[in-house]
């Protein structure tokens, strides 16, 4: 199984809503990532979890709250988002949580988020 | 910034032609990776070239790396309509972080 799955595929939420994005992989990977991608822009790294611990937070606003319940799952909790947070949210995983120089990342299909 | 910059931003070619896209970066790297993204979908890893390598091949893909010039190129030979996608370079220090380049949008016309 070389797949990273993400749910939901699409999400529309109001600025007062609380929602969560989910990501799952069963490749035994020890690092997992959240990226944000605006239209016609490259993905921007948000968070990195290494061995289920948050290792990188790229100065992301607190209205985005990541969680790694176990080595296969990664959540992104959303609260009080702004319309400018509308984007494609991508999850990825890689084998080595220690950041091996030959580590490649496997991406899920993304969640298309619209904030009204 | 560790982010790569790609050139051209957009490229349109006929099926069967070769496509070349370039990436420049500013910092020292452990490796440089190339990814493809079909419209609005997840990224797919294409190839990784280490800092001590100069050229690498994978099928119809050829990647070069010149660390003295801090640049890389991706060549797709005998292009197909299915190659239509955005292509991103990602210079990496090897520390669990990829900083994607601005991307090249490739259109292959059947």
């Amino acid at each position: 199984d070389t797949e990273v799955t993400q749910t939901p595929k699409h999400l529309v939420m109001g600025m007062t809503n609380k929602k969560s994005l989910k990501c799952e992989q069963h490749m035994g990977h020890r690092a997992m990532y959240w990226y944000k991608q605006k239209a016609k822009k490259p993905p921007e790294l948000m968070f990195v979890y290494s061995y289920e611990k948050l290792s990188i937070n790229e100065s992301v606003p607190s209205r985005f709250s990541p969680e790694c319940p176990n080595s296969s799952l990664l959540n992104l909790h959303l609260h009080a988002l702004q319309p400018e947070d509308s984007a494609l949210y991508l999850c990825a995983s890689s084998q080595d949580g220690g950041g091996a120089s030959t580590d490649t990342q496997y991406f899920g299909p993304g969640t298309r988020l619209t904030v009204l | 910034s560790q982010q790569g910059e790609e050139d051209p931003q957009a490229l349109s070619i006929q099926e069967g032609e070769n496509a070349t896209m370039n990436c420049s970066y500013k910092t020292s790297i452990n490796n440089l990776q190339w990814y493809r993204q079909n419209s609005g979908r997840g990224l797919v890893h294409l190839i990784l070239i280490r800092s001590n390598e100069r050229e690498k091949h994978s099928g119809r893909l050829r990647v070069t790396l010149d660390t003295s010039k801090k640049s890389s190129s991706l060549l797709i030979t005998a292009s197909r309509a299915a190659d239509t996608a955005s292509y991103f370079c990602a210079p990496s220090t090897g520390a669990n972080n990829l900083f994607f380049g601005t991307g090249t949008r490739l259109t292959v016309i059947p």
Side-chain angles (χ1 to χ4, degrees), chain A residues 54-74:
Chain A
L54 184 64
S55 60
I56 296 176
N57 176 342
E58 289 289 330
S59 302
V60 179
S62 60
R63 58 185 183 270
F64 295 91
S65 176
E67 178 197 19
C68 189
N70 59 57
S71 60
S72 299
L73 294 174
L74 185 65

Side-chain angles (χ1 to χ4, degrees), chain A residues 2-13:
Chain A
T2 59
E3 190 178 21
V4 176
T5 59
Q6 289 187 245
T7 56
K9 290 183 179 179
H10 300 274
L11 178 62
V12 179
M13 61 185 291

Side-chain angles (χ1 to χ4, degrees), chain A residues 62-107:
Chain A
S62 60
R63 58 185 183 270
F64 295 91
S65 176
E67 178 197 19
C68 189
N70 59 57
S71 60
S72 299
L73 294 174
L74 185 65
N75 298 322
L76 186 63
H77 303 297
L78 313 173
H79 174 55
L81 294 194
Q82 303 296 312
E84 58 265 30
D85 296 322
S86 298
L88 180 67
Y89 287 83
L90 294 163
C91 173
S93 69
S94 64
Q95 185 170 20
D96 187 349
S101 62
T102 56
D103 216 14
T104 61
Q105 294 187 18
Y106 295 80
F107 282 80

